[in-house]
Each structure stands twice: as structure tokens, then as C-alpha cells.
Amino acid sequence: MRASALFMPTVKEDPADAEAVSHRLMIRGGFVRQFAAGIYVILPLGWRVMRRICRIIREEMDRIGAVELSMPTLHPADVWQASGRYQAIGQEMFRLKDRGGRDMVLAMTHEEVFAWLAARELRSYRDLPQIWYQIQLKFRDEPRPKGGVLRVREFLMKDSYSFDLDEAGLEASYAKHIQAYDRIFARCGLEFLRVESDSGFMGGAQAHEYMAPSAAGEDRVAVCDSCGFAANVELARSVAHFPSVSPAAARGQAEGGTTGVGPLEVSTPEQRTIAEVASFLGVRPSDLIKTLVYVVEGTAERRYVVALLRGDHELHENKLARYVRGAVRPASAEEVLAATGVEIGFLGPVGLRERGLRLVADQALDPAGPAGSRGYVAGANKPHAHLTVVVGRDFQAEVADLREAQAGEGCPQCGRPLTIRQVIEVGNIFKLGTKYSVPLGATVLDEKGQERPLVMGSYGIGPARIAAAAVEQNHDERGIIWPKAIAPFDVQLVQLQTNDEQQTRVAAWLHDTLESSGLEVLWDDRDERPGFKFADAELIGCPVRITVGKKVREGKVEMERRRGGAREEVLVEEAVERARSLWEKAE
Ligand code: ATP
Ligand code: MG
């Protein structure tokens, strides 16, 4: 394809608002343009990348026996009401009314609509198993659309749904998706991890996420390099370190006594944070207890829950949400005061149960655990004072895994140190069970003629996230280095003097011959300076570059790979073969 005929508006300067590398380079390389917050135009070069990614996805989905169809994106609200998600989902859902005043929604995902179809069309166990997929638009009013196409409000998703008679069938469909996904991400040239992920409040069901390690990612995963354990930190258990008790904390504990005597109070004027209190008392953060008040949303009774963590540990809100089986949010300062009667900085566990609050302590504080029964410093529930408290003696609490795994803590499987990696979620797979088939009436008759709800799975991939993650993982200071399978073109043919007839003849011949050998070639025939064209070639990042310049008089062209590798001179008659071999070797 001639660049002069391709609409490829590259830009010299970085866009002002771009944080992520992929955002910056995809704008500059002429791949995308922002239309509005979280809404993007995909330009011809970007669309070529998307098409290649979607093609790989289709090939691998077809290979596991999935069949492609296309679902509407405009839905009457009633299917969403049937599943309960119309009520459960908040502002993330785009809602509208039709001219008759009926409630409608724009598709955020398609579990309901696929279950609706299955309910009408699948009758018998003989119709099973089924895996249906589509590559279709999704609309989500994301609270924080990110720069670039990583988190947008309208995006393409490959989503598939499996329908089986029983758990064993679901297991098989799930395993097929693991196979397909492993191949899709590998073929797209991504470095990726398959990690265990949170399956929501329902518990039990299994889910995995596919994660591309990148500093631009919004998720974190805990990984064990020794045994291969990998899980999202919203789920990952870890073996905490148990530092010895600071002498000052030990003294407080002894003076308070381990039986009967009760907590010992110390004055802590204006010392509110963990760091302030620890340094004021000469103890370590790990000698303190953090008291965090949360609001459980959507429950009538017990609106508040108090999470207790060791001072050096961080709460993962999803772990708390899973434990209390409801969405949670931090209580505001006013809510804390209303619930406890105390200002946040001096809040502590002693006496809160008596005020009707539910207390949940992280496992690291469990007196029956490795820490044993020991003293900690916690807020005294009165201004400017803290207490030395012993869990179980001075207050009672439920025990649960609440803290976020930290780098260097022990792997839950083998005990070796965990690594924490920043990642981009590029796909996920999810065992739904009968969550949607029951409310939407998707049942079939089994061998005995008995009606049974379909057992479903759902599986998503964001093609644009694959593209952006690939850029995050493959670039240098000059531009993108596309993995060859998803590059917009295989070869970029740069003709330096467009008014030179010999150069035009050689470039045309190379273009045609390479194309007929199966490679896609972008022939830069634009009337621009050589420096401009070279810079664009680096920015756009196709795997192989051929330069047709003054050397054609000696029968030579130049060639190099975008990802490292030396520039070489090649005879024109050998250039096609050499370009093919460079492309073969490219990653
Ligand atoms: P996230 O946690 O990043 O919001 P999600 O769990 O909401 O993702 P799913 O609903 O499982 O994502 O969607 C499946 C896939 O669709 C994701 O793995 C991701 O690749 C893509 N995706 C989800 N939300 C967006 C978005 N706002 N913009 C672009 N791609 C998205
Ligand atoms: Mg989301």
C-alpha cells in the first residue's frame, strides 16, 4: 500500500494530556484520535492492528469449536431487570428511553442477552455443549477513563459464553478457553500471566485473568517465581512476616498483663497516623493496629464494618467486600464519628462491639496464628490517647484474610518470597454457573427428561487493550516496536527521493514482489524529507524496514529490523529473500 494513499496523520509532538506511553505513541503514530473523554476514533493504521488482533482471536476461538454471531448493543431494560443487574449496577451503565418511554440500556456486557437467546433456542442436552462468541461494542460509563485506549467508554470486546449441562461440562469449556487464550496472547506477542482472580461476592466460582505486565497497568498481581503461583492481589493470600515485638510495645503488654488486667493507656497528643504514633512511642508500625471503618452498601442491618489490620499492612477492599458479601466503601469522617463517637486518628477496637459494630481482624493479628497473643498499640477511642491491647483479651473480632499481599511476603503455596507486578488486564475467563440461566429461564431437558438450568461460563478479551499493552511492552524512545503478528504492516519500504525514476521503479518492484509473497508492505512514497520519513518509520514500528535511496545506482538497498539488529546493504535482486528472512526472525 502506498503511504500517499493511506490516511496516516503522524504527529511530531507528544499530546499534552498523555500519561501512558501507549497513549502517546498511538496518537503520534496516527493510530487513534480522541473524540471525547474515553471515546476514540481508530484511524486506518490502528484499525489494521485491530483487524490482525481480531483475526488471531477468531482463528483461536474457531479452533476450540466456538461459533461467531452478533448480538445487539441496544437492549430493552427488562433482561437486565430479570438478572437484577439493572438495579445492582450503578452509574457505569448507560441508560436511555425509547420514544415510547420504555427503559433501554446500552450493552456493558452480554450475559443476559446470550442467556435470553439460549433460553429460547436450546432445548435438550443434545444441543450441548455450545460456545458462542462475538466481537462487539460495549459501553461503560467508566468513572476514570484513562488516557489512550486502555480504559475507554466505548470499546470492542470479544466475548464468549459457554452453555453446558453440568459442572463437568463447564470445566471442559473453561479448559478450552484457557487453551485459546494462552494461544491468542502468545500469538499477539504479549508477555502475559494467567492469574487467579476474584469471582465476586458469590464465592466458590473460579475465575482467571490474563495480565500483561506493564507500569501502565491498574492492577497488581502477586507472583511466585519458585512454584508458579500467580493471583490478583485482590485475592492473593500471603504469608506475612512477623517482626519481633518492639521493647516499648512488649513493656506495655506486660504492664497491661496478659490476663484480666486489661489495656494500658498512653497519652499521644496530636499523634494520629501510624507513622506519628509509632515514632512518638518508639515502636514499629508492626506493633500498631489500624482501625478502619467501612460502610457495607445495600444492607439494611449492620451498615458498618470495622476492619483491623497490623499497622504495616494495607487493607484490600475487595477482600473485605468478599468477606462481608457486599460492596464496601470507606466511611466518611462524619460517618466514623456517628458510628463510633470518635475522631478517626484515635479510633481503636476496644469497646466498638459494645456499640454494635462488627469487627473483622486480618489473619496476621490472630492470637491463634504465628504472632500469638501479644500486645499492640491501638487508638483508645478518646482524643489524644492510645492503648496497648491484646486481641481476644481486650476485644473480640472475627478473623479473615483482609490484607493486600506485599512483595517479599511468603507464597501461600511454597513459602518462597512473592513478587508484586503491575499489570494490564487484557482478558478474563469466568465460571458463571447458573447465575444468569436461572433468572432468564435458560433450561434444557436432561437425559431423564428433567429440566435443568444451563451451566454457563463467560469469557472476555479487549482487542484494543492488547494493542495498547503491546505498545507498553514494546517500544523505545523513537517509537513503537510492534510484535510482528499485530504490526499494521510487515515491511515499511521507505523511498527517499520520490522524484527519482529508478528509485520508484525499484520500490514498486519490491512492493509488488513482497506483497505477492504474502507480506503486507507500506511503501512510503510521500513527498517528504528523508529525516521525516525515517522518523515516521521508527514511530510506526513495522518489523522490517527497507530503504530505497541513492544506492540503487549501485543496485543496492538498505535493510534493518525495527527491534535492534544492524543496518545492512543488500543487492536489489536479493532484497526480497533477505527481507523475508529478516521478517521470519522478527518476534
Ligand atoms: P477492568 O477491571 O479493567 O475494569 P473488567 O473486569 O471490567 O476490566 P471485563 O468486564 O471482564 O473487564 O471485560 C473483559 C475485557 O474487556 C477486559 O479484560 C479488558 O480487556 C476489556 N475491557 C474492559 N473494560 C474496558 C474498558 N473500559 N476499555 C477498554 N477495554 C476494556
Ligand atoms: Mg471494569
Side-chain angles (χ1 to χ4, degrees):
M1 167 138 221
R2 284 167 178 263
S4 57
L6 180 71
F7 172 51
M8 42 179 275
T10 54
V11 184
K12 231 184 168 64
E13 272 78 45
D14 281 337
D17 57 337
E19 297 161 39
V21 174
S22 55
H23 184 193
R24 202 157 53 74
L25 292 177
M26 288 171 86
I27 297 278
R28 286 192 47 210
F31 293 88
V32 296
R33 286 292 181 267
Q34 184 172 329
F35 175 55
I39 310 179
Y40 276 80
V41 175
I42 304 182
L43 296 170
L45 280 179
W47 193 242
R48 290 182 71 94
V49 172
M50 289 290 280
R51 273 173 36 182
R52 283 194 166 185
I53 293 170
C54 290
R55 181 175 172 178
I56 291 172
I57 292 174
R58 287 195 167 95
E59 285 174 5
E60 296 302 334
M61 291 308 295
D62 295 348
R63 191 203 280 255
I64 61 165
V67 289
E68 185 171 1
L69 48 73
S70 178
M71 286 291 192
T73 53
L74 181 62
H75 306 164
D78 52 8
V79 285
W80 289 86
Q81 276 154 352
S83 72
R85 287 211 278 190
Y86 191 73
Q87 301 77 13
I89 294 173
Q91 295 181 317
E92 209 177 330
M93 184 184 275
F94 282 104
R95 298 161 202 259
L96 64 158
K97 284 190 192 296
D98 70 7
R99 63 168 71 198
R102 281 175 291 266
D103 290 319
M104 309 288 286
V105 313
L106 295 182
M108 314 185 41
T109 172
H110 279 85
E111 279 80 7
E112 281 83 354
V113 185
F114 273 84
W116 174 92
L117 185 66
R120 266 142 204 87
E121 308 298 337
L122 300 176
R123 303 245 149 71
S124 149
Y125 70 96
R126 281 188 298 262
D127 299 331
L128 304 179
Q130 293 283 344
I131 301 176
W132 298 339
Y133 80 97
Q134 62 174 348
I135 297 181
Q136 177 60 290
L137 285 175
K138 303 286 182 269
F139 300 87
R140 295 183 184 180
D141 203 354
E142 296 276 357
R144 284 174 299 276
K146 277 265 282 195
V149 295
L150 282 169
R151 183 173 297 286
V152 287
R153 299 197 294 166
E154 177 189 317
F155 59 98
L156 274 182
M157 191 196 288
K158 183 291 298 174
D159 46 332
S160 45
Y161 303 85
S162 63
F163 302 92
D164 286 281
L165 187 64
D166 51 25
E167 287 293 326
L170 171 59
E171 194 60 54
S173 296
Y174 196 79
K176 282 184 184 170
H177 275 88
I178 288 185
Q179 227 178 6
Y181 276 42
D182 285 355
R183 292 186 55 97
I184 289 166
F185 296 115
R187 284 183 62 187
C188 287
L190 284 190
E191 183 204 344
F192 69 94
L193 299 161
R194 173 174 11 103
V195 310
E196 289 174 38
S197 76
D198 188 0
S199 57
F201 309 137
M202 296 322 210
Q206 207 183 5
H208 286 91
E209 288 164 327
Y210 281 78
M211 302 296 210
S214 157
E218 294 185 297
D219 281 288
R220 268 166 308 142
V221 296
V223 183
C224 175
D225 296 326
S226 307
C227 74
F229 168 83
N232 194 313
V233 291
E234 66 190 25
L235 183 89
R237 288 175 178 277
S238 58
V239 183
H241 295 306
F242 290 95
S244 57
V245 182
S246 301
R251 214 161 37 244
Q253 174 187 351
E255 286 165 17
T258 44
T259 50
V261 182
L264 187 75
E265 186 174 316
V266 285
S267 164
T268 51
E270 303 299 335
Q271 311 299 310
R272 291 180 171 81
T273 65
I274 294 287
E276 285 166 359
V277 176
S279 111
F280 182 79
L281 296 177
V283 299
R284 301 189 185 98
S286 57
D287 293 317
L288 269 61
I289 288 180
K290 250 185 226 185
T291 307
L292 306 169
V293 183
Y294 272 77
V295 178
V296 183
E297 314 240 52
T299 54
E301 26 109 49
R302 277 222 200 124
R303 269 191 49 162
Y304 293 101
V305 60
V306 178
L308 303 172
L309 285 109
R310 209 171 75 185
D312 60 328
H313 288 157
E314 296 299 328
L315 172 72
H316 199 299
E317 289 182 3
N318 291 18
K319 288 189 170 184
L320 181 63
R322 204 162 43 240
Y323 184 72
V324 302
R325 294 175 171 269
V328 296
R329 63 164 174 84
S332 67
E334 297 77 58
E335 285 170 327
V336 171
L337 201 58
T340 65
V342 196
E343 181 196 338
I344 286 178
F346 303 102
L347 201 58
V350 178
L352 291 186
R353 264 164 84 98
E354 291 68 23
R355 292 189 66 115
L357 290 165
R358 179 178 183 187
L359 266 59
V360 187
D362 177 59
Q363 282 170 340
L365 296 174
D366 187 357
S373 185
R374 54 156 291 188
Y376 292 96
V377 176
N381 289 334
K382 63 184 200 186
H384 312 294
H386 279 76
L387 300 176
T388 301
V389 299
V390 175
V391 186
R393 181 194 71 182
D394 302 321
F395 66 93
Q396 307 294 324
E398 299 161 54
V399 174
D401 174 35
L402 294 183
R403 73 172 187 285
E404 183 169 319
Q406 295 175 1
E409 287 186 339
C411 166
Q413 284 180 15
C414 75
R416 305 290 295 277
L418 289 172
T419 313
I420 305 292
R421 302 190 75 175
Q422 199 83 27
V423 293
I424 298 169
E425 181 197 316
V426 285
N428 66 19
I429 55 177
F430 206 119
K431 290 184 185 169
L432 296 173
T434 59
K435 187 173 170 190
Y436 297 94
S437 52
V438 167
L440 284 145
T443 60
V444 291
L445 298 179
D446 67 11
E447 298 91 325
K448 300 194 191 91
Q450 227 133 47
E451 195 161 310
R452 287 169 59 165
L454 286 164
V455 182
M456 291 175 58
S458 93
Y459 316 86
I461 289 183
R465 275 218 191 150
I466 294 184
V471 175
E472 294 289 341
Q473 290 183 348
N474 301 279
H475 65 269
D476 59 18
E477 65 294 343
R478 290 165 296 161
I480 302 172
I481 308 173
W482 286 106
K484 75 172 173 188
I486 64 172
F489 289 91
D490 301 308
V491 176
Q492 199 145 345
L493 181 62
V494 182
Q495 181 184 346
L496 295 184
Q497 282 78 33
T498 35
N499 52 3
D500 180 313
E501 255 176 57
Q502 194 181 5
Q503 284 185 32
T504 304
R505 223 171 27 249
V506 169
W509 178 79
L510 282 171
H511 172 269
D512 295 352
T513 319
L514 283 165
E515 288 253 323
S516 55
S517 86
L519 293 182
E520 293 184 308
V521 183
L522 176 60
W523 170 11
D524 196 345
D525 63 339
R526 294 173 302 173
D527 188 17
E528 297 284 357
R529 287 174 298 104
F532 180 92
K533 292 187 185 182
F534 284 136
D536 267 8
E538 309 266 35
L539 187 57
I540 291 167
C542 300
V544 177
R545 186 176 90 201
I546 305 177
T547 307
V548 179
K550 298 220 164 76
K551 290 249 165 65
V552 287
R553 305 212 193 299
E554 305 157 33
K556 287 178 186 160
V557 294
E558 275 185 351
M559 219 173 274
E560 70 186 296
R561 271 195 304 174
R562 177 64 181 90
R563 194 189 300 274
R567 191 171 305 169
E568 48 187 289
E569 282 186 1
V570 182
L571 290 174
V572 171
E573 56 268 32
E574 289 166 7
V576 168
E577 200 179 321
R578 186 65 193 141
R580 285 207 59 91
S581 108
L582 280 184
W583 181 81
E584 295 290 346
K585 279 190 234 138
E587 286 149 31

Coordinates of all heavy atoms in Angstrom, one line a residue, residues 199-229:
S199 N -13.9 -13.8 41.9 CA -15.1 -14.1 41.1 C -16.3 -13.4 41.7 O -17.5 -13.8 41.5 CB -15.4 -15.6 41.1 OG -15.4 -16.1 42.4
G200 N -16.1 -12.4 42.5 CA -17.2 -11.6 43.0 C -17.6 -12.1 44.4 O -17.0 -13.0 45.0
F201 N -18.8 -11.6 44.8 CA -19.3 -11.9 46.1 C -19.8 -13.4 46.2 O -20.0 -13.9 47.3 CB -20.4 -11.0 46.6 CG -20.0 -9.6 46.4 CD1 -21.0 -8.7 45.9 CD2 -18.8 -9.1 46.7 CE1 -20.6 -7.4 45.7 CE2 -18.4 -7.8 46.6 CZ -19.4 -6.9 46.0
M202 N -20.1 -14.0 45.1 CA -20.8 -15.3 45.1 C -19.9 -16.3 45.8 O -20.4 -17.2 46.4 CB -21.2 -15.7 43.7 CG -22.2 -14.8 43.1 SD -23.4 -14.2 44.3 CE -24.8 -14.0 43.4
G203 N -18.6 -16.2 45.6 CA -17.7 -17.1 46.1 C -17.7 -18.5 45.4 O -18.7 -18.7 44.6
G204 N -16.8 -19.3 45.6 CA -16.8 -20.6 45.0 C -16.4 -20.7 43.6 O -15.5 -21.4 43.3
A205 N -17.1 -19.9 42.7 CA -16.8 -20.0 41.3 C -15.4 -19.6 41.0 O -14.8 -18.8 41.7 CB -17.8 -19.1 40.6
Q206 N -14.8 -20.2 39.9 CA -13.5 -19.9 39.6 C -13.4 -18.9 38.5 O -14.3 -18.7 37.7 CB -12.9 -21.2 39.0 CG -11.4 -21.3 39.2 CD -10.9 -22.6 38.6 OE1 -11.6 -23.3 37.9 NE2 -9.6 -22.9 38.8
A207 N -12.3 -18.1 38.6 CA -12.1 -17.1 37.5 C -10.6 -16.9 37.4 O -9.9 -17.0 38.3 CB -12.8 -15.8 37.9
H208 N -10.2 -16.6 36.2 CA -8.8 -16.2 35.9 C -8.8 -14.9 35.1 O -9.7 -14.7 34.3 CB -8.1 -17.3 35.1 CG -7.8 -18.5 36.0 ND1 -8.6 -19.6 36.1 CD2 -6.7 -18.8 36.7 CE1 -8.1 -20.5 36.9 NE2 -6.9 -20.0 37.3
E209 N -7.7 -14.2 35.3 CA -7.5 -13.0 34.5 C -6.2 -13.2 33.7 O -5.2 -13.8 34.2 CB -7.3 -11.7 35.3 CG -8.6 -11.3 35.9 CD -8.4 -10.3 37.1 OE1 -7.4 -10.4 37.8 OE2 -9.3 -9.4 37.2
Y210 N -6.1 -12.6 32.5 CA -4.9 -12.6 31.7 C -4.3 -11.2 31.8 O -5.0 -10.3 31.5 CB -5.2 -13.0 30.3 CG -5.3 -14.5 30.1 CD1 -6.5 -15.1 30.4 CD2 -4.3 -15.3 29.6 CE1 -6.6 -16.5 30.3 CE2 -4.4 -16.6 29.5 CZ -5.6 -17.3 29.9 OH -5.7 -18.6 29.7
M211 N -3.1 -11.2 32.3 CA -2.5 -9.9 32.7 C -1.2 -9.7 31.9 O -0.4 -10.6 31.8 CB -2.1 -9.9 34.2 CG -3.4 -10.2 35.1 SD -4.5 -8.8 34.9 CE -5.3 -8.8 36.5
A212 N -1.1 -8.5 31.3 CA 0.2 -8.1 30.7 C 1.0 -7.2 31.6 O 0.5 -6.1 31.9 CB -0.2 -7.4 29.3
P213 N 2.1 -7.7 32.0 CA 2.9 -6.8 32.9 C 3.3 -5.5 32.3 O 3.8 -5.5 31.1 CB 4.2 -7.7 33.2 CG 3.7 -9.1 33.0 CD 2.7 -9.0 31.9
S214 N 3.0 -4.4 33.0 CA 3.3 -3.1 32.4 C 3.1 -2.0 33.5 O 2.2 -2.1 34.3 CB 2.4 -2.7 31.3 OG 2.3 -1.3 31.1
A215 N 4.0 -1.0 33.6 CA 3.9 0.0 34.6 C 2.6 0.8 34.4 O 2.1 1.4 35.3 CB 5.1 0.9 34.5
A216 N 2.0 0.7 33.2 CA 0.8 1.5 32.9 C -0.4 0.8 33.5 O -1.5 1.3 33.4 CB 0.6 1.7 31.4
G217 N -0.3 -0.5 34.0 CA -1.4 -1.3 34.4 C -2.0 -0.7 35.7 O -1.4 0.0 36.5
E218 N -3.3 -1.0 35.8 CA -4.0 -0.5 37.0 C -4.3 -1.7 38.0 O -4.8 -1.5 39.0 CB -5.4 0.1 36.6 CG -5.2 1.3 35.8 CD -6.6 1.9 35.5 OE1 -7.4 1.3 34.8 OE2 -6.8 3.0 35.9
D219 N -3.8 -2.9 37.7 CA -4.0 -4.0 38.5 C -2.6 -4.4 39.0 O -1.6 -4.1 38.4 CB -4.6 -5.2 37.8 CG -6.1 -5.0 37.7 OD1 -6.8 -5.2 38.7 OD2 -6.6 -4.8 36.6
R220 N -2.6 -5.2 40.2 CA -1.4 -5.7 40.7 C -1.6 -7.2 40.9 O -2.7 -7.6 41.4 CB -0.9 -5.0 41.9 CG 0.0 -3.9 41.6 CD 0.3 -3.0 42.7 NE -1.0 -2.5 43.2 CZ -1.2 -2.3 44.5 NH1 -0.3 -2.5 45.4 NH2 -2.4 -1.9 44.9
V221 N -0.6 -8.0 40.6 CA -0.7 -9.4 40.9 C 0.5 -9.9 41.7 O 1.6 -9.3 41.7 CB -0.7 -10.3 39.6 CG1 -1.9 -9.9 38.8 CG2 0.6 -10.0 38.7
A222 N 0.3 -10.9 42.5 CA 1.3 -11.5 43.3 C 1.8 -12.7 42.6 O 1.0 -13.6 42.2 CB 0.8 -11.8 44.7
V223 N 3.1 -12.8 42.4 CA 3.6 -13.9 41.6 C 4.7 -14.6 42.4 O 5.5 -13.9 43.0 CB 4.2 -13.4 40.3 CG1 4.7 -14.5 39.4 CG2 3.2 -12.6 39.5
C224 N 4.7 -15.9 42.3 CA 5.8 -16.7 42.9 C 6.7 -17.3 41.8 O 6.2 -18.1 41.0 CB 5.3 -17.8 43.8 SG 6.6 -18.8 44.5
D225 N 7.9 -16.9 41.7 CA 8.8 -17.4 40.7 C 9.2 -18.8 40.9 O 9.7 -19.5 40.0 CB 10.0 -16.5 40.5 CG 9.6 -15.1 40.1 OD1 8.7 -15.0 39.3 OD2 10.3 -14.1 40.5
S226 N 9.1 -19.3 42.2 CA 9.5 -20.6 42.5 C 8.5 -21.7 42.1 O 8.9 -22.6 41.4 CB 9.8 -20.8 44.0 OG 10.7 -19.8 44.4
C227 N 7.2 -21.5 42.5 CA 6.3 -22.5 42.2 C 5.2 -22.2 41.2 O 4.4 -23.0 40.8 CB 5.6 -23.0 43.5 SG 4.3 -21.8 44.1
G228 N 5.3 -20.9 40.7 CA 4.3 -20.5 39.6 C 3.0 -20.0 40.1 O 2.2 -19.6 39.3
F229 N 2.8 -19.9 41.4 CA 1.6 -19.3 41.9 C 1.5 -17.9 41.4 O 2.4 -17.1 41.3 CB 1.7 -19.3 43.5 CG 0.6 -18.4 44.1 CD1 -0.7 -18.9 44.4 CD2 0.9 -17.1 44.5 CE1 -1.6 -18.1 44.9 CE2 -0.1 -16.3 45.1 CZ -1.4 -16.8 45.3

